[in-house]
Amino acid sequence: MFPSFTGSARRPRQVNLSGRSTNPFAATAASRQSPSAQTTQNTVAHAQAERALRQQERRRPPAAIAIQRSWRGHWDRKQTKSLWRGEWDAKEDADLALGRSRAVESTTTVPYKDETRCLGQLKLLVHFVSVQDPSDQDRLRRFAVRYLGLRVELQWPTPPETWVFPLLRLGRLTVSILERLESSAAPQEVTILLELLCTLAQDIPKPMVSFAEQYYQALGIVLSRFGGQKWFLQAHGKRWFDESIAALLRPRIDRRISAYEGFASQLLCRANIPMDTLRKISNDVEIGDLASALVNLIASRHSLLQSRCREELFWLAAYFIYFYRSKQHPNGRNAEHEALYVKVLSKLVSDLAEDIGIRIDVPAVFMSAESDASASPKISSRHPLPPFVRNEILSLVSQDHVSGLLAQADTSADPNSELSRNLPSTLAAYALTLLRAFPQRGDEIRMWLYLGSSRSNYGDMASPMPAIKYYYTAASRTSVYKLIKNEPSHAINLLNPNARSRADVTRIPDRDEQWQVILLFLELYPIVLKVMDDEEFLGGSGSTDSTASWTRQSALTLDQVKDLTVFLKNLAFSMYWNASEIAGVEAPEYKNSIAEYFSGNLSAAADNHPDARLPRPRDVTVANLPGMTMNYTKGIVTGLLRMIYEREFLPSDHWLMTQWFEMDRFIPAVVQEEEEKHKIQASYVSEAGGPHDDDMDDETEEETHDTLIGTQRTQQVRNLERLRRQQRKASKRKYLESITPRLEILQNMPFFIPFATRVQIFRHFVLLDQIRRRGTPDADLWRFSMMNSGRADIGRHKAKVRRESIFDDAFKQYYELGEGLKEPIQISFVDKFDTVEEGIDGGGVTKEFLTSVTNEAFNSMSGLDMFVENDQHLLYPNPTALEERKELLRQAGEAEGSQFYKESVRDLLRRFEFMGRIIGKCLYEGILVDIHFAPFFLLKWSLTGGHAAATRESSYRANLNDLRDLDEALYQGLLQLKNYKSNTNDEHSSIESLGLTFEVTDTLFPADRPSSHPNQHPIPRTVELRANGSNIPVTNANRLVYISYIARHRLSIQPYHQTAAFLKGLGQIISPPWLAMFNQHELQTLISGSAASIDIADLRANTQYGGLYVLGDDGVEHPTIQLFWDVVASFSNEDKEKLVGFVTSTPRAPLLGFGNLNPRFSVRDGGRDEGRLPTTSTCVNLLKLPVYTNADVLRERLLYSIRAGAGFNLS
């Protein structure tokens, strides 16, 4: 394209003042230099060079003078020191001659004749000794022998004042020489230096403290170089080494904190200090001073935690714990020292938490010769801890230690003292650190903390204050608690001070400390709820009755719990609704397609994964505690809130948060978020080139982990890949949370939204999924399009089933469909001669098929024996089904590793999975079935979808209250054990006398249930509830732990595989996050309909008529229909339910009324013979009502039919 004409054809003048050639093809300056060419640039450069040369010439003479002066000074000092050496040697030789005249062989055994002679030699020595000169080192050792001899002769308690400075110089020289000793040094040389150093530290401890860091560094070097040598452990050197360590640690030193700082930073970071050394110096170590020194070191600018490697910090922590345990007195504790100890350990263990979790239980044979330390810092560090370190670290998680933490809190002390104010947060930080460092023992630690108590005064009598009440009181008094309880938006800045929020929150100086107290309470309170029955929960009081059980004493009042729920509601709401603000990431706006956020070219340095380009919210840490991430905090808040909600002691409107939403636009907004979420996931999968590893089952990962084959390097690579998958999954989850806040709230705190609204959202989700999969929710249109397009084999959705084996036929023909069961299916019922029953499937045969399958599969008398009933006839998976199948195979002679054995076990789990799909299909199609599940089983459905945060904390957790729905007798027995009062005067009435241990006996009936085979002998199977549980008796101290283990075994561990398979099948049809929108009672309503009274007006308004009963143009009902509704209106609610059940096979109304019944409730004529009974076709919800003309006859015939259950046929 030509440039625009400027109005002048004359070329502008080119002026070049730089002296450079403008010809690009001309030779460069380096290739041609004309002697006569003088450019401006060359002139300037020449002038600068001359100026620099002149400056250099001016500096040369002063520099030469300085060098000469320095050299002359060095030479003069050297000559002077040489003269001093000569003088010192001459005096020593004179003493040697005197010693010979006295028949003494060597001056090494002759002390100086007096103090003056010794002091003179000392002053000369410290002026000329060079620590690099071996001869000077020998002179110092000679002086040491004679000085020590003189000291013994004179019996100095302390040297005179005039000796202090020379001795201090001597001490520094001794330390420097010890640092330079080689490991080949003679034992006598090392021993005399250690004796001298120890003597100096004892004689002048205050001056010696001034270089305590170098002092203990030298001792650490001596330990590392000579500690393993036999002579060192057996000779006097070891004694003087131990004495040297303790000399500066004794209480008589004023500046001993500096000594302890050097001791901790230089010596206690060394590995393998001999045990006898530790025992000796432990008497001189003051744990309070050591803790204070460590506090200073950790808080200093060059923090000990950053300047030392992990291994050194492990040894430091182990030695610190050892000294603390050795200084404990059974008669009492120093509260201030205890607080400092806990504070230091909290910092150390917090910094090492990740390594402790990895290395504490690693077997010694883990690291092989093939391991590559460069593969991964995390994986290569998985070598076992040294035995001493491991034992000391494990002592932190003993019951006595953990339960005794709260005993430090004296609530009767002055509440305004600094110790009282800081102690709750200090203990909380330490307890939270233990939970992060020992995740495998988290439940035990929480239980031990819960069993702890502080000293308090209730009225006129002193009694222990339970840990729960102590921490609730401390938490509820914090500013963080009060601000969030008043306004949810305050949580944004309180969780992340750097977040931008419209809420004006004053900065709280001790914000982290307040959060620590709150978080520990949130960790502990679920433990109480797990072992607390409803009576105790509802009977909480503000006072403490010492005669009541510990659980009842720990119960909060209902007003306190209500107050707590307000705080938790506001906090949880803000954490989900304002997730992007808290994380500091703005959610993107979608314009054309969400795929644009995942498209584009990858750079060579990219991770080559689609999530590498995801906006990554920062993982905010709460309370400044490593591991206490926003995601984890969200999980424990969500889990606790749902546990309290499940107690159902507050009205439903208390939980609603509708004032914070635009409810008129809420449903469309949620549906839009669901669509956007699906688009992101679809785009993610398409870019990843197939199903993404985020969807891998965790159980599968665990199984493959145990069967890794190959070299250690191969295992490390696979572990790294698993770690990357987890990181990608977390990154994508956080991103989705930031753009779908309404969905997150619905799936984690559904009770914030009214139930009716959630049901509508659920039906919208199903409709969108049908449109997405089929293109239309209409089954016939889908079949037509599939037949014409040829995209799939529609024959896979057709099946022939026999009524006498409907479940087996359905399983064989439909199991392989998987998610394809969502599509419309075509059923043909056949008899034993394979004759197809007449009928047209307009949706009714499908309903009949689903109800028939569920009736057979979930009927405990059908022989399938996969689900069993409790005392209230509520269903749950047979917890022993899997073990009974395995036992049956063993009795048949099948080896556990055989293919038939594995396939038989898999077949049972596939059947559970298929049953889950069938229930999911009923929910998907809106078909109600008359099946009632146990609440604890339904609760697992609900909490399976609450996977957005901290799965373990927000998922299902077994508790004592749920055992009532499983086994009433077991529940009552455990309740008696929990409240058991032993007589201290009668040893036979103690809990130990019951003979219980941490094991449980399961009863197996491998052939069939005892009801079918009453003569069959049951097979007992004993299972340990914990490692070595058969040898651990149940005592008063651990009975609550035993109860929680029993509940976990019966409710979670024993039926795990059956429940997981069922939920897997259910999740293939109904997305788990959709199920998470409802609690257990609401899910039951989704399955079988509303338990509310039958609304006849609603039923009448949504009834369809056929045959003679079809409404005419005038809209007037047939006389028989009018009689029918008059008669039905007079029925009791029980008879109304029987009528609905008679027609639809389910006695309950649909959730949103009969307008949502599928197929619609229908009535048609059944002939004019008034002697006939009404009949039904439940598959199409059709009532065949003869043309009655008399109301009494209609009432009699109708009641007879619905109460007898007669009249079924298939039209």
Side-chain angles (χ1 to χ4, degrees), residues 873-917:
H873 305 290
L874 302 176
L875 294 164
Y876 58 91
N878 180 5
T880 61
L882 192 64
E883 289 302 318
E884 288 173 355
R885 174 65 62 91
K886 292 179 180 179
E887 182 62 29
L888 189 62
L889 292 168
R890 283 191 286 267
Q891 291 179 2
E894 288 291 336
E896 291 194 18
S898 67
Q899 187 64 29
F900 180 80
Y901 181 95
K902 294 179 180 179
E903 188 59 32
S904 180
V905 171
R906 289 194 194 103
D907 178 74
L908 179 63
L909 295 178
R910 290 192 193 106
R911 289 174 179 269
F912 275 105
E913 181 183 346
F914 184 69
M915 294 170 78
R917 290 184 198 164

CSV table of all heavy atoms in Angstrom, one decimal, residues 873-917:
chain,number,residue,atom,x,y,z
A,873,HIS,N,-38.0,-51.9,59.3
A,873,HIS,CA,-38.2,-52.3,58.0
A,873,HIS,C,-37.6,-51.4,56.9
A,873,HIS,O,-38.2,-51.2,55.8
A,873,HIS,CB,-39.7,-52.6,57.7
A,873,HIS,CG,-40.4,-53.5,58.6
A,873,HIS,ND1,-40.1,-54.9,58.6
A,873,HIS,CD2,-41.3,-53.3,59.6
A,873,HIS,CE1,-40.8,-55.5,59.6
A,873,HIS,NE2,-41.5,-54.5,60.2
A,874,LEU,N,-36.6,-50.7,57.3
A,874,LEU,CA,-35.8,-49.8,56.4
A,874,LEU,C,-34.6,-50.6,55.9
A,874,LEU,O,-34.0,-51.3,56.6
A,874,LEU,CB,-35.4,-48.6,57.1
A,874,LEU,CG,-36.5,-47.7,57.8
A,874,LEU,CD1,-36.0,-46.6,58.6
A,874,LEU,CD2,-37.5,-47.3,56.7
A,875,LEU,N,-34.3,-50.4,54.6
A,875,LEU,CA,-33.4,-51.2,53.9
A,875,LEU,C,-32.0,-50.5,53.9
A,875,LEU,O,-31.8,-49.3,53.9
A,875,LEU,CB,-33.8,-51.3,52.4
A,875,LEU,CG,-35.1,-52.2,52.2
A,875,LEU,CD1,-35.6,-51.9,50.8
A,875,LEU,CD2,-34.8,-53.6,52.4
A,876,TYR,N,-31.0,-51.4,53.9
A,876,TYR,CA,-29.6,-51.0,53.8
A,876,TYR,C,-28.8,-52.2,53.2
A,876,TYR,O,-29.2,-53.3,53.3
A,876,TYR,CB,-29.0,-50.5,55.1
A,876,TYR,CG,-29.0,-51.5,56.2
A,876,TYR,CD1,-27.9,-52.4,56.4
A,876,TYR,CD2,-30.1,-51.6,57.1
A,876,TYR,CE1,-27.9,-53.3,57.4
A,876,TYR,CE2,-30.1,-52.6,58.1
A,876,TYR,CZ,-29.0,-53.4,58.2
A,876,TYR,OH,-29.1,-54.4,59.2
A,877,PRO,N,-27.6,-51.9,52.6
A,877,PRO,CA,-26.9,-53.1,52.0
A,877,PRO,C,-26.5,-54.1,53.0
A,877,PRO,O,-26.1,-53.7,54.1
A,877,PRO,CB,-25.7,-52.4,51.4
A,877,PRO,CG,-26.1,-51.0,51.2
A,877,PRO,CD,-27.0,-50.7,52.3
A,878,ASN,N,-26.6,-55.3,52.7
A,878,ASN,CA,-26.2,-56.4,53.6
A,878,ASN,C,-24.7,-56.3,53.9
A,878,ASN,O,-23.9,-56.5,53.0
A,878,ASN,CB,-26.5,-57.8,53.0
A,878,ASN,CG,-26.1,-58.9,53.9
A,878,ASN,OD1,-25.7,-58.7,55.0
A,878,ASN,ND2,-26.2,-60.1,53.3
A,879,PRO,N,-24.3,-55.9,55.1
A,879,PRO,CA,-22.9,-55.7,55.4
A,879,PRO,C,-22.0,-56.9,55.3
A,879,PRO,O,-20.8,-56.8,55.1
A,879,PRO,CB,-22.9,-55.1,56.8
A,879,PRO,CG,-24.2,-55.5,57.4
A,879,PRO,CD,-25.1,-55.7,56.3
A,880,THR,N,-22.6,-58.1,55.4
A,880,THR,CA,-21.8,-59.3,55.3
A,880,THR,C,-21.9,-60.0,54.0
A,880,THR,O,-21.3,-61.1,53.8
A,880,THR,CB,-22.2,-60.3,56.4
A,880,THR,OG1,-23.6,-60.6,56.3
A,880,THR,CG2,-22.0,-59.6,57.8
A,881,ALA,N,-22.5,-59.4,53.0
A,881,ALA,CA,-22.8,-60.1,51.7
A,881,ALA,C,-21.5,-60.5,51.1
A,881,ALA,O,-21.3,-61.6,50.5
A,881,ALA,CB,-23.6,-59.2,50.8
A,882,LEU,N,-20.5,-59.6,51.0
A,882,LEU,CA,-19.2,-59.8,50.3
A,882,LEU,C,-18.4,-60.9,51.1
A,882,LEU,O,-17.9,-61.8,50.4
A,882,LEU,CB,-18.4,-58.5,50.3
A,882,LEU,CG,-17.2,-58.6,49.3
A,882,LEU,CD1,-17.7,-58.8,47.9
A,882,LEU,CD2,-16.4,-57.3,49.4
A,883,GLU,N,-18.4,-60.8,52.4
A,883,GLU,CA,-17.6,-61.8,53.1
A,883,GLU,C,-18.3,-63.2,53.0
A,883,GLU,O,-17.6,-64.2,53.0
A,883,GLU,CB,-17.4,-61.4,54.6
A,883,GLU,CG,-16.5,-60.3,54.8
A,883,GLU,CD,-15.1,-60.6,54.2
A,883,GLU,OE1,-14.6,-61.7,54.4
A,883,GLU,OE2,-14.5,-59.7,53.6
A,884,GLU,N,-19.6,-63.2,53.0
A,884,GLU,CA,-20.4,-64.5,52.9
A,884,GLU,C,-20.1,-65.1,51.5
A,884,GLU,O,-19.9,-66.3,51.4
A,884,GLU,CB,-21.8,-64.2,53.1
A,884,GLU,CG,-22.2,-63.9,54.5
A,884,GLU,CD,-23.7,-63.5,54.7
A,884,GLU,OE1,-24.4,-63.4,53.7
A,884,GLU,OE2,-24.1,-63.4,55.9
A,885,ARG,N,-20.0,-64.3,50.5
A,885,ARG,CA,-19.7,-64.8,49.1
A,885,ARG,C,-18.3,-65.4,49.1
A,885,ARG,O,-18.1,-66.5,48.6
A,885,ARG,CB,-19.8,-63.7,48.1
A,885,ARG,CG,-19.4,-64.1,46.7
A,885,ARG,CD,-20.3,-65.2,46.1
A,885,ARG,NE,-21.7,-64.7,45.9
A,885,ARG,CZ,-22.2,-64.1,44.8
A,885,ARG,NH1,-21.4,-63.9,43.8
A,885,ARG,NH2,-23.4,-63.8,44.8
A,886,LYS,N,-17.4,-64.7,49.8
A,886,LYS,CA,-16.0,-65.2,49.8
A,886,LYS,C,-15.9,-66.5,50.6
A,886,LYS,O,-15.2,-67.5,50.2
A,886,LYS,CB,-15.1,-64.2,50.4
A,886,LYS,CG,-14.9,-62.9,49.5
A,886,LYS,CD,-14.0,-61.9,50.2
A,886,LYS,CE,-13.7,-60.7,49.4
A,886,LYS,NZ,-12.9,-59.7,50.0
A,887,GLU,N,-16.6,-66.6,51.7
A,887,GLU,CA,-16.6,-67.8,52.5
A,887,GLU,C,-17.2,-69.0,51.8
A,887,GLU,O,-16.7,-70.1,51.9
A,887,GLU,CB,-17.4,-67.5,53.9
A,887,GLU,CG,-17.4,-68.7,54.8
A,887,GLU,CD,-16.0,-69.1,55.3
A,887,GLU,OE1,-15.1,-68.2,55.3
A,887,GLU,OE2,-15.8,-70.3,55.6
A,888,LEU,N,-18.3,-68.7,51.0
A,888,LEU,CA,-18.9,-69.8,50.3
A,888,LEU,C,-18.0,-70.3,49.2
A,888,LEU,O,-17.9,-71.5,49.0
A,888,LEU,CB,-20.2,-69.2,49.6
A,888,LEU,CG,-21.1,-70.2,48.9
A,888,LEU,CD1,-21.7,-71.2,49.9
A,888,LEU,CD2,-22.3,-69.5,48.2
A,889,LEU,N,-17.2,-69.4,48.6
A,889,LEU,CA,-16.2,-69.8,47.6
A,889,LEU,C,-15.1,-70.6,48.2
A,889,LEU,O,-14.6,-71.6,47.7
A,889,LEU,CB,-15.6,-68.6,46.9
A,889,LEU,CG,-16.6,-67.9,46.0
A,889,LEU,CD1,-16.0,-66.5,45.5
A,889,LEU,CD2,-17.0,-68.7,44.7
A,890,ARG,N,-14.7,-70.2,49.4
A,890,ARG,CA,-13.6,-71.0,50.1
A,890,ARG,C,-14.1,-72.4,50.5
A,890,ARG,O,-13.4,-73.4,50.4
A,890,ARG,CB,-13.2,-70.2,51.4
A,890,ARG,CG,-12.2,-69.0,51.1
A,890,ARG,CD,-11.6,-68.5,52.4
A,890,ARG,NE,-12.6,-67.8,53.2
A,890,ARG,CZ,-12.8,-66.4,53.1
A,890,ARG,NH1,-12.0,-65.7,52.3
A,890,ARG,NH2,-13.6,-65.8,53.8
A,891,GLN,N,-15.4,-72.5,50.9
A,891,GLN,CA,-15.9,-73.8,51.3
A,891,GLN,C,-16.0,-74.7,50.0
A,891,GLN,O,-15.9,-75.9,50.1
A,891,GLN,CB,-17.3,-73.6,51.9
A,891,GLN,CG,-17.3,-73.0,53.3
A,891,GLN,CD,-18.7,-72.8,53.9
A,891,GLN,OE1,-19.7,-73.2,53.3
A,891,GLN,NE2,-18.7,-72.2,55.1
A,892,ALA,N,-16.2,-74.0,48.9
A,892,ALA,CA,-16.3,-74.8,47.6
A,892,ALA,C,-14.9,-75.2,47.1
A,892,ALA,O,-14.8,-75.8,46.1
A,892,ALA,CB,-17.0,-74.0,46.6
A,893,GLY,N,-13.8,-74.8,47.8
A,893,GLY,CA,-12.5,-75.2,47.4
A,893,GLY,C,-11.8,-74.2,46.5
A,893,GLY,O,-10.8,-74.5,45.9
A,894,GLU,N,-12.4,-73.0,46.2
A,894,GLU,CA,-11.8,-72.1,45.3
A,894,GLU,C,-10.7,-71.3,46.0
A,894,GLU,O,-10.9,-70.8,47.1
A,894,GLU,CB,-12.9,-71.1,44.8
A,894,GLU,CG,-13.8,-71.7,43.8
A,894,GLU,CD,-13.2,-72.1,42.5
A,894,GLU,OE1,-12.1,-71.5,42.2
A,894,GLU,OE2,-13.7,-73.0,41.8
A,895,ALA,N,-9.5,-71.2,45.4
A,895,ALA,CA,-8.4,-70.4,45.9
A,895,ALA,C,-8.7,-68.9,45.7
A,895,ALA,O,-9.4,-68.5,44.7
A,895,ALA,CB,-7.1,-70.8,45.2
A,896,GLU,N,-8.3,-68.1,46.7
A,896,GLU,CA,-8.6,-66.7,46.7
A,896,GLU,C,-8.1,-66.0,45.4
A,896,GLU,O,-8.6,-65.0,45.0
A,896,GLU,CB,-8.1,-66.0,47.9
A,896,GLU,CG,-8.9,-66.5,49.2
A,896,GLU,CD,-8.6,-65.5,50.4
A,896,GLU,OE1,-8.1,-64.4,50.1
A,896,GLU,OE2,-8.9,-66.0,51.5
A,897,GLY,N,-7.0,-66.4,44.9
A,897,GLY,CA,-6.4,-65.8,43.8
A,897,GLY,C,-6.9,-66.3,42.4
A,897,GLY,O,-6.4,-65.8,41.4
A,898,SER,N,-7.8,-67.3,42.4
A,898,SER,CA,-8.2,-67.9,41.2
A,898,SER,C,-9.1,-66.9,40.4
A,898,SER,O,-9.7,-66.0,41.0
A,898,SER,CB,-8.9,-69.2,41.4
A,898,SER,OG,-10.2,-68.9,42.1
A,899,GLN,N,-9.2,-67.1,39.1
A,899,GLN,CA,-10.0,-66.3,38.2
A,899,GLN,C,-11.5,-66.4,38.6
A,899,GLN,O,-12.2,-65.4,38.6
A,899,GLN,CB,-9.8,-66.7,36.8
A,899,GLN,CG,-10.4,-65.7,35.8
A,899,GLN,CD,-9.9,-64.3,35.8
A,899,GLN,OE1,-8.7,-64.1,36.2
A,899,GLN,NE2,-10.7,-63.3,35.5
A,900,PHE,N,-11.9,-67.6,38.9
A,900,PHE,CA,-13.3,-67.8,39.2
A,900,PHE,C,-13.7,-67.1,40.5
A,900,PHE,O,-14.8,-66.5,40.6
A,900,PHE,CB,-13.7,-69.3,39.3
A,900,PHE,CG,-15.1,-69.6,39.7
A,900,PHE,CD1,-16.1,-69.6,38.7
A,900,PHE,CD2,-15.5,-69.9,41.0
A,900,PHE,CE1,-17.4,-69.8,39.0
A,900,PHE,CE2,-16.8,-70.1,41.3
A,900,PHE,CZ,-17.8,-70.1,40.3
A,901,TYR,N,-12.8,-67.2,41.5
A,901,TYR,CA,-13.0,-66.5,42.7
A,901,TYR,C,-13.1,-65.0,42.5
A,901,TYR,O,-14.1,-64.4,43.0
A,901,TYR,CB,-11.8,-66.8,43.7
A,901,TYR,CG,-11.9,-66.2,45.0
A,901,TYR,CD1,-12.4,-66.9,46.1
A,901,TYR,CD2,-11.5,-64.9,45.3
A,901,TYR,CE1,-12.5,-66.4,47.4
A,901,TYR,CE2,-11.6,-64.3,46.5
A,901,TYR,CZ,-12.1,-65.1,47.6
A,901,TYR,OH,-12.2,-64.5,48.8
A,902,LYS,N,-12.2,-64.4,41.8
A,902,LYS,CA,-12.3,-62.9,41.6
A,902,LYS,C,-13.5,-62.6,40.8
A,902,LYS,O,-14.2,-61.6,41.1
A,902,LYS,CB,-11.0,-62.5,40.8
A,902,LYS,CG,-9.7,-62.6,41.6
A,902,LYS,CD,-8.6,-62.2,40.7
A,902,LYS,CE,-7.2,-62.3,41.5
A,902,LYS,NZ,-6.1,-61.8,40.6
A,903,GLU,N,-13.9,-63.4,39.8
A,903,GLU,CA,-15.0,-63.0,39.0
A,903,GLU,C,-16.3,-63.2,39.8
A,903,GLU,O,-17.3,-62.4,39.6
A,903,GLU,CB,-15.1,-64.0,37.7
A,903,GLU,CG,-16.1,-63.6,36.7
A,903,GLU,CD,-16.0,-62.2,36.2
A,903,GLU,OE1,-14.8,-61.7,36.1
A,903,GLU,OE2,-17.0,-61.6,35.8
A,904,SER,N,-16.4,-64.1,40.7
A,904,SER,CA,-17.6,-64.3,41.5
A,904,SER,C,-17.8,-63.1,42.4
A,904,SER,O,-18.9,-62.6,42.6
A,904,SER,CB,-17.5,-65.6,42.3
A,904,SER,OG,-18.7,-65.7,43.1
A,905,VAL,N,-16.7,-62.6,43.0
A,905,VAL,CA,-16.8,-61.4,43.9
A,905,VAL,C,-17.2,-60.2,43.0
A,905,VAL,O,-18.0,-59.4,43.5
A,905,VAL,CB,-15.4,-61.2,44.6
A,905,VAL,CG1,-15.4,-59.9,45.3
A,905,VAL,CG2,-15.1,-62.4,45.6
A,906,ARG,N,-16.5,-60.1,41.9
A,906,ARG,CA,-16.9,-58.9,41.0
A,906,ARG,C,-18.3,-58.9,40.6
A,906,ARG,O,-19.0,-57.9,40.5
A,906,ARG,CB,-16.0,-58.9,39.8
A,906,ARG,CG,-14.5,-58.5,40.0
A,906,ARG,CD,-13.8,-58.2,38.7
A,906,ARG,NE,-12.4,-58.2,38.9
A,906,ARG,CZ,-11.6,-59.2,38.5
A,906,ARG,NH1,-12.1,-60.3,37.9
A,906,ARG,NH2,-10.3,-59.1,38.7
A,907,ASP,N,-18.9,-60.1,40.3
A,907,ASP,CA,-20.3,-60.3,39.9
A,907,ASP,C,-21.2,-59.7,41.0
A,907,ASP,O,-22.2,-59.1,40.7
A,907,ASP,CB,-20.6,-61.7,39.6
A,907,ASP,CG,-22.0,-62.0,39.2
A,907,ASP,OD1,-22.4,-61.6,38.1
A,907,ASP,OD2,-22.8,-62.5,40.1
A,908,LEU,N,-20.9,-60.1,42.3
A,908,LEU,CA,-21.7,-59.6,43.4
A,908,LEU,C,-21.7,-58.0,43.4
A,908,LEU,O,-22.8,-57.4,43.5
A,908,LEU,CB,-21.3,-60.2,44.7
A,908,LEU,CG,-22.0,-59.7,45.9
A,908,LEU,CD1,-23.5,-60.1,45.9
A,908,LEU,CD2,-21.4,-60.2,47.2
A,909,LEU,N,-20.5,-57.5,43.3
A,909,LEU,CA,-20.4,-56.0,43.3
A,909,LEU,C,-21.1,-55.4,42.1
A,909,LEU,O,-21.7,-54.3,42.2
A,909,LEU,CB,-19.0,-55.6,43.4
A,909,LEU,CG,-18.2,-56.0,44.7
A,909,LEU,CD1,-16.8,-55.6,44.6
A,909,LEU,CD2,-18.9,-55.4,45.9
A,910,ARG,N,-21.0,-56.0,40.9
A,910,ARG,CA,-21.7,-55.5,39.8
A,910,ARG,C,-23.2,-55.5,40.0
A,910,ARG,O,-23.9,-54.6,39.5
A,910,ARG,CB,-21.4,-56.4,38.5
A,910,ARG,CG,-20.0,-56.2,38.0
A,910,ARG,CD,-19.8,-56.9,36.7
A,910,ARG,NE,-18.4,-57.0,36.3
A,910,ARG,CZ,-17.8,-58.2,36.3
A,910,ARG,NH1,-18.4,-59.3,36.7
A,910,ARG,NH2,-16.5,-58.3,35.9
A,911,ARG,N,-23.7,-56.5,40.7
A,911,ARG,CA,-25.2,-56.5,41.0
A,911,ARG,C,-25.6,-55.3,41.9
A,911,ARG,O,-26.6,-54.7,41.7
A,911,ARG,CB,-25.6,-57.8,41.6
A,911,ARG,CG,-25.5,-59.0,40.6
A,911,ARG,CD,-25.8,-60.3,41.2
A,911,ARG,NE,-25.7,-61.4,40.2
A,911,ARG,CZ,-26.8,-61.8,39.5
A,911,ARG,NH1,-28.0,-61.3,39.7
A,911,ARG,NH2,-26.6,-62.8,38.6
A,912,PHE,N,-24.7,-55.1,42.9
A,912,PHE,CA,-25.0,-53.9,43.7
A,912,PHE,C,-25.0,-52.6,42.9
A,912,PHE,O,-25.8,-51.7,43.0
A,912,PHE,CB,-23.9,-53.8,44.8
A,912,PHE,CG,-24.3,-54.6,46.1
A,912,PHE,CD1,-23.6,-55.8,46.3
A,912,PHE,CD2,-25.3,-54.1,46.9
A,912,PHE,CE1,-23.9,-56.5,47.5
A,912,PHE,CE2,-25.6,-54.9,48.1
A,912,PHE,CZ,-24.9,-56.0,48.4
A,913,GLU,N,-24.0,-52.6,42.0
A,913,GLU,CA,-23.9,-51.4,41.1
A,913,GLU,C,-25.1,-51.3,40.2
A,913,GLU,O,-25.6,-50.2,40.0
A,913,GLU,CB,-22.6,-51.6,40.2
A,913,GLU,CG,-22.4,-50.4,39.3
A,913,GLU,CD,-21.2,-50.6,38.4
A,913,GLU,OE1,-20.4,-51.5,38.6
A,913,GLU,OE2,-21.0,-49.9,37.4
A,914,PHE,N,-25.6,-52.4,39.7
A,914,PHE,CA,-26.8,-52.3,38.8
A,914,PHE,C,-28.0,-51.9,39.6
A,914,PHE,O,-28.9,-51.2,39.1
A,914,PHE,CB,-27.0,-53.7,38.2
A,914,PHE,CG,-28.2,-53.8,37.3
A,914,PHE,CD1,-28.1,-53.1,36.0
A,914,PHE,CD2,-29.4,-54.5,37.6
A,914,PHE,CE1,-29.2,-53.2,35.1
A,914,PHE,CE2,-30.4,-54.5,36.7
A,914,PHE,CZ,-30.3,-53.8,35.5
A,915,MET,N,-28.1,-52.3,40.9
A,915,MET,CA,-29.3,-51.9,41.7
A,915,MET,C,-29.2,-50.4,41.9
A,915,MET,O,-30.2,-49.7,41.9
A,915,MET,CB,-29.2,-52.6,43.1
A,915,MET,CG,-29.5,-54.1,42.9
A,915,MET,SD,-29.1,-55.0,44.5
A,915,MET,CE,-30.6,-54.6,45.4
A,916,GLY,N,-28.0,-49.8,42.1
A,916,GLY,CA,-27.9,-48.4,42.1
A,916,GLY,C,-28.3,-47.7,40.9
A,916,GLY,O,-29.0,-46.7,40.9
A,917,ARG,N,-28.0,-48.3,39.7
A,917,ARG,CA,-28.5,-47.7,38.4
A,917,ARG,C,-30.0,-47.8,38.3
A,917,ARG,O,-30.6,-46.8,37.8
A,917,ARG,CB,-27.9,-48.5,37.3
A,917,ARG,CG,-26.4,-48.3,37.1
A,917,ARG,CD,-25.9,-49.0,35.9
A,917,ARG,NE,-24.5,-49.3,35.8
A,917,ARG,CZ,-23.9,-50.1,35.0
A,917,ARG,NH1,-24.6,-50.9,34.2
A,917,ARG,NH2,-22.6,-50.3,35.1
